[in-house]
Amino acid sequence: MISPKNEENKCDNNKINSIHLMEKIKTTKNKNDEFEQLVKMIIQRFIRGFCSGVAIRVGYVFIKALLKKSLKNGFYKAWAAIRTKSTLQIAAFLGLFPSLYRASLHYIKKARNIEDGWNYLLSGAIAGLSILSLDKSNRETITFLSLTRAIGAGLPALVEKGHLPNVRHIDFLVYSIGCGIILFSALLRPDYLSPGYYQTIVKWSRNFTEEIANNHFRNPGPRFVTCQEAGLHKESCIKFNILDIKRGIPTMSRIFFPVHVLPILLYKRKAFMTSPLPVIKAFIKNMAASTLFFVTSSAITKSGLCLFRNALHKPPPLPAFVPLVVGTTTGIGLLWERKSRRKELALFTAFQMLGIFYTAFKKSQTASKLNIGVPQGFVILFSLASMIIMHVHETQPGYLNSITKAGLTFLVGDKDIYSKWTESNTRAK
């Protein structure tokens, strides 16, 4: 015969077991819900990134065709260029990067059970593996671009924390040195530049051709050749440079128009719809500043080359110090631009410098003697850059330039969105 007390204990045990079972079921359900939400987020990020990659590739191909004025005649060529392996690779890269980052960040946080910067560093490194989807040429470009963005974001953060000294006007310094190296490469060593960028320089110069460069800047010649004999211009140097400024303003305005319209279409649509006048005023001001910046830089470059050539009065080739000095002085043109644009232009020249130094080293005798090769070196470098960029994006996004910040927010999402999603799961548990 079972005593009432034993019966009561048995009931209590059954209740406890039922509660434990219900908690286990609830925990399992929460885990399943959490996993489903994570998978959903990863898929959404991948689709968004993949579609963005296709859109970027389409925009690049058609803008390139428009600049060449060949869209009408070359439509089918442009369409064929879109339907290539490169388009798929770029789209896959932009889809994989945010997906890998979000997945790794979720599980690293869960494994470590700590909220600190190492979560973003480790997740950024894993996301960097997405560069494996690109071919060697694109890996090189993306890596150097990311490294300059990482340096541009990481150095100010270290300066603020007191780890590095504050160098005033460093954007002018970097931009000026970069322009000197780029001009040296364009005039004397075009093989150091990417073919596309070199052709852009040739086109924007308006009076510079490969034949003129070879005959009067690069290859040795018997005597000094004037600018008029070389075919650089028919007028005197002073008259030509004054006329070139006048001719350059409408040309540069057309080039910079899409540069300043695109941010309005992407980030300022609401502001334009509600208060169009301030947006239009800012657009006109920025357009004028960028046009004057480029026209000034071009005038300094061309007049400087004329001045040095005539002063030296020596037969070709052009001494290496001439383009280095003349290019460096073009930093004066940066005064027209606003502060944010100065930093962006400095980062762009830094990106070109990295490419030039890398190519120059590869072509040097030192590299051939040393025979240095790091397996998947660009993957390693890109992962390191991704670590810095994602850490800054999550902790101090103000150090990122506007384009990088907007792109990462669109593809990866910002910390606030992820934190809300994580907090809602924590409350559900």
Side-chain angles (χ1 to χ4, degrees), residues 165-219:
N166 183 25
V167 180
R168 295 185 64 188
H169 308 304
I170 192 170
D171 47 1
F172 278 97
L173 183 65
V174 172
Y175 177 78
S176 298
I177 293 172
C179 285
I181 293 169
I182 291 169
L183 186 61
F184 163 81
S185 302
L187 291 181
L188 302 178
R189 293 302 302 263
D191 54 317
Y192 288 173
L193 296 169
S194 66
Y197 184 56
Y198 175 67
Q199 290 302 321
T200 301
I201 293 174
V202 171
K203 183 177 180 179
W204 285 8
S205 69
R206 298 188 302 281
N207 69 325
F208 179 81
T209 64
E210 190 71 11
E211 184 182 0
I212 290 173
N214 285 328
N215 293 336
H216 306 292
F217 291 110
R218 298 167 190 161
N219 300 331

Short mmCIF file of all heavy atoms in Angstrom, two decimals, residues 165-219:
data_model
loop_
_atom_site.label_atom_id
_atom_site.label_comp_id
_atom_site.label_asym_id
_atom_site.label_seq_id
_atom_site.Cartn_x
_atom_site.Cartn_y
_atom_site.Cartn_z
N PRO A 165 51.38 59.61 -33.75
CA PRO A 165 51.30 61.07 -33.73
C PRO A 165 50.36 61.58 -34.83
O PRO A 165 50.19 60.95 -35.87
CB PRO A 165 52.74 61.51 -34.01
CG PRO A 165 53.33 60.37 -34.78
CD PRO A 165 52.68 59.13 -34.24
N ASN A 166 49.78 62.73 -34.60
CA ASN A 166 48.89 63.35 -35.57
C ASN A 166 49.71 64.17 -36.57
O ASN A 166 50.40 65.10 -36.19
CB ASN A 166 47.87 64.25 -34.87
CG ASN A 166 46.87 64.85 -35.84
OD1 ASN A 166 46.62 64.29 -36.91
ND2 ASN A 166 46.30 65.99 -35.48
N VAL A 167 49.66 63.79 -37.85
CA VAL A 167 50.39 64.50 -38.91
C VAL A 167 49.38 65.38 -39.65
O VAL A 167 48.46 64.87 -40.30
CB VAL A 167 51.05 63.51 -39.89
CG1 VAL A 167 51.79 64.28 -40.98
CG2 VAL A 167 51.99 62.57 -39.15
N ARG A 168 49.53 66.68 -39.54
CA ARG A 168 48.61 67.60 -40.18
C ARG A 168 48.76 67.55 -41.70
O ARG A 168 49.86 67.40 -42.22
CB ARG A 168 48.84 69.02 -39.68
CG ARG A 168 48.54 69.23 -38.19
CD ARG A 168 48.68 70.68 -37.81
NE ARG A 168 47.69 71.51 -38.50
CZ ARG A 168 47.70 72.84 -38.47
NH1 ARG A 168 48.66 73.48 -37.83
NH2 ARG A 168 46.76 73.52 -39.11
N HIS A 169 47.62 67.68 -42.38
CA HIS A 169 47.58 67.73 -43.85
C HIS A 169 48.21 66.49 -44.48
O HIS A 169 48.84 66.58 -45.54
CB HIS A 169 48.28 68.99 -44.37
CG HIS A 169 47.80 70.26 -43.73
ND1 HIS A 169 46.47 70.64 -43.75
CD2 HIS A 169 48.47 71.22 -43.04
CE1 HIS A 169 46.34 71.78 -43.11
NE2 HIS A 169 47.53 72.15 -42.66
N ILE A 170 48.03 65.34 -43.85
CA ILE A 170 48.60 64.12 -44.41
C ILE A 170 47.93 63.75 -45.72
O ILE A 170 48.53 63.11 -46.59
CB ILE A 170 48.49 62.96 -43.39
CG1 ILE A 170 49.36 61.78 -43.88
CG2 ILE A 170 47.04 62.55 -43.16
CD1 ILE A 170 49.53 60.69 -42.85
N ASP A 171 46.66 64.18 -45.91
CA ASP A 171 45.99 63.90 -47.17
C ASP A 171 46.69 64.61 -48.33
O ASP A 171 46.86 64.04 -49.42
CB ASP A 171 44.50 64.29 -47.11
CG ASP A 171 44.28 65.68 -46.52
OD1 ASP A 171 45.27 66.35 -46.16
OD2 ASP A 171 43.11 66.09 -46.41
N PHE A 172 47.13 65.87 -48.12
CA PHE A 172 47.88 66.58 -49.14
C PHE A 172 49.20 65.86 -49.44
O PHE A 172 49.61 65.74 -50.60
CB PHE A 172 48.19 68.02 -48.68
CG PHE A 172 47.06 68.97 -48.89
CD1 PHE A 172 46.20 69.28 -47.85
CD2 PHE A 172 46.86 69.58 -50.12
CE1 PHE A 172 45.15 70.16 -48.04
CE2 PHE A 172 45.82 70.46 -50.32
CZ PHE A 172 44.96 70.77 -49.27
N LEU A 173 49.86 65.41 -48.39
CA LEU A 173 51.16 64.75 -48.54
C LEU A 173 51.03 63.47 -49.36
O LEU A 173 51.79 63.25 -50.32
CB LEU A 173 51.74 64.45 -47.16
CG LEU A 173 53.13 63.82 -47.12
CD1 LEU A 173 54.16 64.78 -47.68
CD2 LEU A 173 53.49 63.43 -45.69
N VAL A 174 50.08 62.63 -48.98
CA VAL A 174 49.89 61.35 -49.68
C VAL A 174 49.47 61.59 -51.13
O VAL A 174 50.00 60.96 -52.06
CB VAL A 174 48.83 60.49 -48.95
CG1 VAL A 174 48.48 59.25 -49.77
CG2 VAL A 174 49.34 60.09 -47.57
N TYR A 175 48.52 62.52 -51.31
CA TYR A 175 48.04 62.80 -52.67
C TYR A 175 49.16 63.34 -53.55
O TYR A 175 49.33 62.92 -54.70
CB TYR A 175 46.89 63.80 -52.62
CG TYR A 175 46.39 64.21 -53.99
CD1 TYR A 175 45.56 63.37 -54.72
CD2 TYR A 175 46.78 65.42 -54.56
CE1 TYR A 175 45.12 63.72 -55.99
CE2 TYR A 175 46.35 65.78 -55.83
CZ TYR A 175 45.52 64.93 -56.53
OH TYR A 175 45.09 65.27 -57.79
N SER A 176 49.94 64.27 -53.04
CA SER A 176 51.02 64.89 -53.83
C SER A 176 52.09 63.87 -54.21
O SER A 176 52.51 63.81 -55.37
CB SER A 176 51.65 66.04 -53.03
OG SER A 176 50.70 67.04 -52.76
N ILE A 177 52.54 63.08 -53.24
CA ILE A 177 53.55 62.06 -53.54
C ILE A 177 52.99 61.05 -54.55
O ILE A 177 53.68 60.65 -55.49
CB ILE A 177 53.98 61.35 -52.24
CG1 ILE A 177 54.74 62.32 -51.33
CG2 ILE A 177 54.86 60.13 -52.55
CD1 ILE A 177 55.05 61.77 -49.96
N GLY A 178 51.73 60.67 -54.36
CA GLY A 178 51.10 59.72 -55.28
C GLY A 178 51.03 60.25 -56.70
O GLY A 178 51.30 59.52 -57.66
N CYS A 179 50.69 61.53 -56.83
CA CYS A 179 50.61 62.13 -58.17
C CYS A 179 51.99 62.15 -58.84
O CYS A 179 52.09 61.93 -60.06
CB CYS A 179 50.06 63.55 -58.08
SG CYS A 179 48.29 63.61 -57.80
N GLY A 180 53.04 62.41 -58.07
CA GLY A 180 54.39 62.39 -58.63
C GLY A 180 54.75 61.02 -59.16
O GLY A 180 55.30 60.88 -60.27
N ILE A 181 54.43 59.98 -58.40
CA ILE A 181 54.75 58.60 -58.81
C ILE A 181 53.90 58.18 -60.00
O ILE A 181 54.38 57.51 -60.92
CB ILE A 181 54.56 57.65 -57.61
CG1 ILE A 181 55.61 57.97 -56.54
CG2 ILE A 181 54.66 56.19 -58.04
CD1 ILE A 181 55.38 57.29 -55.22
N ILE A 182 52.63 58.58 -60.00
CA ILE A 182 51.74 58.23 -61.12
C ILE A 182 52.20 58.92 -62.40
O ILE A 182 52.22 58.30 -63.48
CB ILE A 182 50.29 58.61 -60.78
CG1 ILE A 182 49.74 57.70 -59.68
CG2 ILE A 182 49.39 58.53 -62.03
CD1 ILE A 182 48.41 58.16 -59.09
N LEU A 183 52.56 60.22 -62.31
CA LEU A 183 53.03 60.94 -63.50
C LEU A 183 54.33 60.34 -64.02
O LEU A 183 54.52 60.20 -65.25
CB LEU A 183 53.21 62.42 -63.19
CG LEU A 183 53.57 63.31 -64.39
CD1 LEU A 183 52.46 63.28 -65.43
CD2 LEU A 183 53.82 64.75 -63.93
N PHE A 184 55.23 59.98 -63.14
CA PHE A 184 56.48 59.30 -63.55
C PHE A 184 56.16 58.03 -64.32
O PHE A 184 56.75 57.75 -65.38
CB PHE A 184 57.32 58.99 -62.31
CG PHE A 184 58.39 57.97 -62.56
CD1 PHE A 184 59.58 58.34 -63.17
CD2 PHE A 184 58.19 56.65 -62.21
CE1 PHE A 184 60.56 57.38 -63.41
CE2 PHE A 184 59.17 55.69 -62.45
CZ PHE A 184 60.36 56.05 -63.06
N SER A 185 55.23 57.24 -63.79
CA SER A 185 54.87 55.98 -64.44
C SER A 185 54.21 56.21 -65.80
O SER A 185 54.51 55.52 -66.77
CB SER A 185 53.93 55.17 -63.54
OG SER A 185 54.54 54.91 -62.29
N ALA A 186 53.30 57.19 -65.86
CA ALA A 186 52.59 57.46 -67.12
C ALA A 186 53.54 57.93 -68.22
O ALA A 186 53.40 57.52 -69.38
CB ALA A 186 51.50 58.50 -66.89
N LEU A 187 54.52 58.77 -67.87
CA LEU A 187 55.43 59.32 -68.88
C LEU A 187 56.57 58.38 -69.24
O LEU A 187 56.94 58.27 -70.41
CB LEU A 187 56.00 60.65 -68.39
CG LEU A 187 55.03 61.83 -68.28
CD1 LEU A 187 55.77 63.07 -67.79
CD2 LEU A 187 54.36 62.12 -69.61
N LEU A 188 57.12 57.70 -68.23
CA LEU A 188 58.34 56.93 -68.45
C LEU A 188 58.18 55.41 -68.31
O LEU A 188 58.88 54.66 -68.98
CB LEU A 188 59.44 57.42 -67.50
CG LEU A 188 59.79 58.90 -67.59
CD1 LEU A 188 60.84 59.26 -66.56
CD2 LEU A 188 60.27 59.27 -68.99
N ARG A 189 57.29 54.96 -67.44
CA ARG A 189 57.11 53.52 -67.23
C ARG A 189 55.63 53.16 -67.20
O ARG A 189 55.08 52.79 -66.16
CB ARG A 189 57.79 53.08 -65.94
CG ARG A 189 59.30 53.18 -65.92
CD ARG A 189 59.94 52.36 -67.03
NE ARG A 189 59.59 50.96 -66.98
CZ ARG A 189 60.34 50.01 -66.41
NH1 ARG A 189 61.50 50.34 -65.83
NH2 ARG A 189 59.98 48.75 -66.44
N PRO A 190 54.95 53.24 -68.35
CA PRO A 190 53.51 52.92 -68.37
C PRO A 190 53.21 51.46 -68.02
O PRO A 190 52.07 51.14 -67.66
CB PRO A 190 53.10 53.23 -69.81
CG PRO A 190 54.37 53.15 -70.60
CD PRO A 190 55.45 53.60 -69.69
N ASP A 191 54.22 50.59 -68.12
CA ASP A 191 54.01 49.19 -67.76
C ASP A 191 53.79 49.00 -66.27
O ASP A 191 53.35 47.93 -65.83
CB ASP A 191 55.20 48.34 -68.22
CG ASP A 191 56.54 48.86 -67.69
OD1 ASP A 191 56.75 50.10 -67.71
OD2 ASP A 191 57.37 48.04 -67.24
N TYR A 192 54.07 50.03 -65.47
CA TYR A 192 53.81 49.96 -64.03
C TYR A 192 52.33 50.19 -63.70
O TYR A 192 51.88 49.87 -62.61
CB TYR A 192 54.64 51.00 -63.27
CG TYR A 192 56.13 50.71 -63.19
CD1 TYR A 192 57.02 51.64 -62.66
CD2 TYR A 192 56.64 49.49 -63.62
CE1 TYR A 192 58.37 51.38 -62.58
CE2 TYR A 192 58.00 49.23 -63.55
CZ TYR A 192 58.87 50.17 -63.03
OH TYR A 192 60.21 49.91 -62.95
N LEU A 193 51.60 50.80 -64.64
CA LEU A 193 50.19 51.11 -64.43
C LEU A 193 49.32 50.03 -65.06
O LEU A 193 49.72 49.37 -66.01
CB LEU A 193 49.84 52.47 -65.05
CG LEU A 193 50.53 53.70 -64.47
CD1 LEU A 193 50.29 54.91 -65.37
CD2 LEU A 193 50.04 53.98 -63.06
N SER A 194 48.10 49.89 -64.53
CA SER A 194 47.14 48.99 -65.17
C SER A 194 46.77 49.58 -66.53
O SER A 194 46.68 50.80 -66.67
CB SER A 194 45.89 48.83 -64.30
OG SER A 194 45.19 50.06 -64.21
N PRO A 195 46.57 48.74 -67.54
CA PRO A 195 46.26 49.24 -68.89
C PRO A 195 45.06 50.17 -68.93
O PRO A 195 45.08 51.20 -69.61
CB PRO A 195 46.00 47.96 -69.69
CG PRO A 195 46.76 46.90 -68.97
CD PRO A 195 46.69 47.27 -67.53
N GLY A 196 44.02 49.83 -68.17
CA GLY A 196 42.82 50.65 -68.17
C GLY A 196 43.06 52.04 -67.60
O GLY A 196 42.59 53.04 -68.15
N TYR A 197 43.81 52.11 -66.49
CA TYR A 197 44.08 53.40 -65.86
C TYR A 197 45.00 54.25 -66.74
O TYR A 197 44.83 55.46 -66.85
CB TYR A 197 44.70 53.18 -64.48
CG TYR A 197 44.93 54.46 -63.71
CD1 TYR A 197 43.89 55.34 -63.46
CD2 TYR A 197 46.20 54.80 -63.25
CE1 TYR A 197 44.10 56.53 -62.75
CE2 TYR A 197 46.42 55.97 -62.54
CZ TYR A 197 45.37 56.83 -62.30
OH TYR A 197 45.57 58.00 -61.62
N TYR A 198 45.97 53.59 -67.37
CA TYR A 198 46.88 54.33 -68.27
C TYR A 198 46.11 54.93 -69.45
O TYR A 198 46.34 56.09 -69.82
CB TYR A 198 47.98 53.40 -68.77
CG TYR A 198 48.88 54.05 -69.80
CD1 TYR A 198 49.72 55.10 -69.45
CD2 TYR A 198 48.90 53.61 -71.12
CE1 TYR A 198 50.55 55.72 -70.38
CE2 TYR A 198 49.72 54.21 -72.06
CZ TYR A 198 50.53 55.26 -71.69
OH TYR A 198 51.34 55.87 -72.61
N GLN A 199 45.20 54.17 -70.03
CA GLN A 199 44.41 54.68 -71.15
C GLN A 199 43.52 55.84 -70.71
O GLN A 199 43.28 56.78 -71.48
CB GLN A 199 43.55 53.55 -71.74
CG GLN A 199 44.35 52.49 -72.49
CD GLN A 199 45.17 53.07 -73.63
OE1 GLN A 199 44.74 53.97 -74.34
NE2 GLN A 199 46.39 52.57 -73.77
N THR A 200 43.04 55.79 -69.46
CA THR A 200 42.24 56.90 -68.93
C THR A 200 43.08 58.18 -68.83
O THR A 200 42.62 59.26 -69.19
CB THR A 200 41.69 56.54 -67.54
OG1 THR A 200 40.88 55.36 -67.65
CG2 THR A 200 40.84 57.67 -66.97
N ILE A 201 44.32 58.04 -68.36
CA ILE A 201 45.22 59.19 -68.27
C ILE A 201 45.48 59.78 -69.65
O ILE A 201 45.45 61.00 -69.85
CB ILE A 201 46.55 58.79 -67.59
CG1 ILE A 201 46.32 58.43 -66.12
CG2 ILE A 201 47.58 59.92 -67.70
CD1 ILE A 201 47.55 57.87 -65.43
N VAL A 202 45.73 58.91 -70.62
CA VAL A 202 45.99 59.36 -71.99
C VAL A 202 44.79 60.11 -72.54
O VAL A 202 44.93 61.18 -73.16
CB VAL A 202 46.34 58.15 -72.90
CG1 VAL A 202 46.39 58.58 -74.37
CG2 VAL A 202 47.67 57.54 -72.48
N LYS A 203 43.60 59.57 -72.29
CA LYS A 203 42.38 60.20 -72.82
C LYS A 203 42.13 61.55 -72.17
O LYS A 203 41.80 62.54 -72.84
CB LYS A 203 41.19 59.28 -72.60
CG LYS A 203 39.90 59.82 -73.18
CD LYS A 203 38.77 58.83 -73.01
CE LYS A 203 37.48 59.40 -73.60
NZ LYS A 203 36.36 58.45 -73.47
N TRP A 204 42.28 61.63 -70.85
CA TRP A 204 41.99 62.87 -70.13
C TRP A 204 43.03 63.95 -70.39
O TRP A 204 42.75 65.14 -70.22
CB TRP A 204 41.89 62.59 -68.63
CG TRP A 204 40.62 61.91 -68.24
CD1 TRP A 204 39.66 61.40 -69.08
CD2 TRP A 204 40.16 61.63 -66.91
NE1 TRP A 204 38.64 60.82 -68.37
CE2 TRP A 204 38.92 60.95 -67.04
CE3 TRP A 204 40.68 61.88 -65.65
CZ2 TRP A 204 38.19 60.53 -65.93
CZ3 TRP A 204 39.94 61.46 -64.54
CH2 TRP A 204 38.71 60.79 -64.68
N SER A 205 44.24 63.57 -70.81
CA SER A 205 45.27 64.58 -71.08
C SER A 205 44.95 65.40 -72.32
O SER A 205 45.35 66.55 -72.45
CB SER A 205 46.62 63.91 -71.25
OG SER A 205 46.65 63.15 -72.44
N ARG A 206 44.25 64.81 -73.28
CA ARG A 206 43.78 65.46 -74.51
C ARG A 206 44.86 65.79 -75.53
O ARG A 206 44.55 66.01 -76.68
CB ARG A 206 42.97 66.74 -74.19
CG ARG A 206 41.73 66.52 -73.37
CD ARG A 206 40.90 67.78 -73.25
NE ARG A 206 41.60 68.89 -72.67
CZ ARG A 206 41.82 69.05 -71.38
NH1 ARG A 206 41.38 68.16 -70.52
NH2 ARG A 206 42.49 70.09 -70.92
N ASN A 207 46.13 65.86 -75.16
CA ASN A 207 47.19 66.14 -76.14
C ASN A 207 48.38 65.22 -75.98
O ASN A 207 49.46 65.49 -76.46
CB ASN A 207 47.65 67.60 -76.01
CG ASN A 207 48.40 67.85 -74.71
OD1 ASN A 207 48.07 67.26 -73.69
ND2 ASN A 207 49.41 68.71 -74.74
N PHE A 208 48.16 64.10 -75.30
CA PHE A 208 49.23 63.17 -74.99
C PHE A 208 48.93 61.86 -75.70
O PHE A 208 47.83 61.31 -75.56
CB PHE A 208 49.31 62.97 -73.48
CG PHE A 208 50.36 61.99 -73.03
CD1 PHE A 208 51.68 62.39 -72.91
CD2 PHE A 208 50.03 60.68 -72.72
CE1 PHE A 208 52.64 61.49 -72.48
CE2 PHE A 208 50.99 59.79 -72.28
CZ PHE A 208 52.30 60.18 -72.17
N THR A 209 49.85 61.35 -76.51
CA THR A 209 49.67 60.09 -77.21
C THR A 209 50.87 59.18 -76.94
O THR A 209 51.93 59.63 -76.49
CB THR A 209 49.55 60.30 -78.73
OG1 THR A 209 50.79 60.83 -79.23
CG2 THR A 209 48.40 61.25 -79.07
N GLU A 210 50.69 57.91 -77.24
CA GLU A 210 51.77 56.94 -77.05
C GLU A 210 52.97 57.26 -77.94
O GLU A 210 54.12 57.14 -77.52
CB GLU A 210 51.23 55.54 -77.37
CG GLU A 210 52.15 54.40 -76.99
CD GLU A 210 52.26 54.19 -75.49
OE1 GLU A 210 51.48 54.79 -74.72
OE2 GLU A 210 53.16 53.43 -75.09
N GLU A 211 52.71 57.72 -79.15
CA GLU A 211 53.79 58.06 -80.08
C GLU A 211 54.62 59.24 -79.56
O GLU A 211 55.87 59.21 -79.58
CB GLU A 211 53.20 58.42 -81.45
CG GLU A 211 54.26 58.71 -82.51
CD GLU A 211 53.66 59.09 -83.84
OE1 GLU A 211 52.41 59.13 -83.95
OE2 GLU A 211 54.43 59.37 -84.78
N ILE A 212 53.94 60.29 -79.10
CA ILE A 212 54.64 61.45 -78.54
C ILE A 212 55.46 61.04 -77.32
O ILE A 212 56.62 61.46 -77.16
CB ILE A 212 53.64 62.56 -78.17
CG1 ILE A 212 53.04 63.18 -79.44
CG2 ILE A 212 54.30 63.63 -77.32
CD1 ILE A 212 51.92 64.17 -79.18
N ALA A 213 54.86 60.23 -76.45
CA ALA A 213 55.57 59.79 -75.23
C ALA A 213 56.82 58.99 -75.57
O ALA A 213 57.88 59.21 -74.96
CB ALA A 213 54.62 58.96 -74.37
N ASN A 214 56.71 58.08 -76.51
CA ASN A 214 57.87 57.26 -76.89
C ASN A 214 58.97 58.09 -77.54
O ASN A 214 60.16 57.94 -77.21
CB ASN A 214 57.44 56.14 -77.84
CG ASN A 214 56.70 55.02 -77.11
OD1 ASN A 214 56.97 54.74 -75.95
ND2 ASN A 214 55.75 54.39 -77.79
N ASN A 215 58.58 58.98 -78.43
CA ASN A 215 59.58 59.73 -79.21
C ASN A 215 60.24 60.86 -78.42
O ASN A 215 61.41 61.19 -78.66
CB ASN A 215 58.95 60.31 -80.48
CG ASN A 215 58.55 59.21 -81.46
OD1 ASN A 215 59.09 58.11 -81.42
ND2 ASN A 215 57.59 59.50 -82.32
N HIS A 216 59.51 61.47 -77.49
CA HIS A 216 60.01 62.70 -76.88
C HIS A 216 60.14 62.65 -75.35
O HIS A 216 60.61 63.62 -74.75
CB HIS A 216 59.12 63.88 -77.28
CG HIS A 216 58.97 64.02 -78.77
ND1 HIS A 216 60.02 64.37 -79.59
CD2 HIS A 216 57.91 63.82 -79.58
CE1 HIS A 216 59.60 64.40 -80.84
NE2 HIS A 216 58.32 64.07 -80.87
N PHE A 217 59.69 61.53 -74.72
CA PHE A 217 59.84 61.40 -73.28
C PHE A 217 60.65 60.16 -72.88
O PHE A 217 61.39 60.20 -71.91
CB PHE A 217 58.47 61.34 -72.59
CG PHE A 217 57.71 62.63 -72.63
CD1 PHE A 217 56.57 62.76 -73.40
CD2 PHE A 217 58.13 63.73 -71.90
CE1 PHE A 217 55.86 63.94 -73.44
CE2 PHE A 217 57.43 64.92 -71.93
CZ PHE A 217 56.29 65.03 -72.71
N ARG A 218 60.48 59.07 -73.63
CA ARG A 218 61.04 57.78 -73.19
C ARG A 218 62.29 57.37 -73.95
O ARG A 218 63.30 57.01 -73.35
CB ARG A 218 59.97 56.68 -73.33
CG ARG A 218 58.75 56.93 -72.47
CD ARG A 218 57.61 56.01 -72.86
NE ARG A 218 56.36 56.41 -72.18
CZ ARG A 218 55.16 56.04 -72.59
NH1 ARG A 218 55.02 55.28 -73.65
NH2 ARG A 218 54.10 56.46 -71.93
N ASN A 219 62.24 57.38 -75.28
CA ASN A 219 63.35 56.87 -76.09
C ASN A 219 64.44 57.93 -76.26
O ASN A 219 64.13 59.11 -76.44
CB ASN A 219 62.85 56.41 -77.46
CG ASN A 219 61.81 55.32 -77.35
OD1 ASN A 219 61.82 54.55 -76.39
ND2 ASN A 219 60.91 55.24 -78.32
#
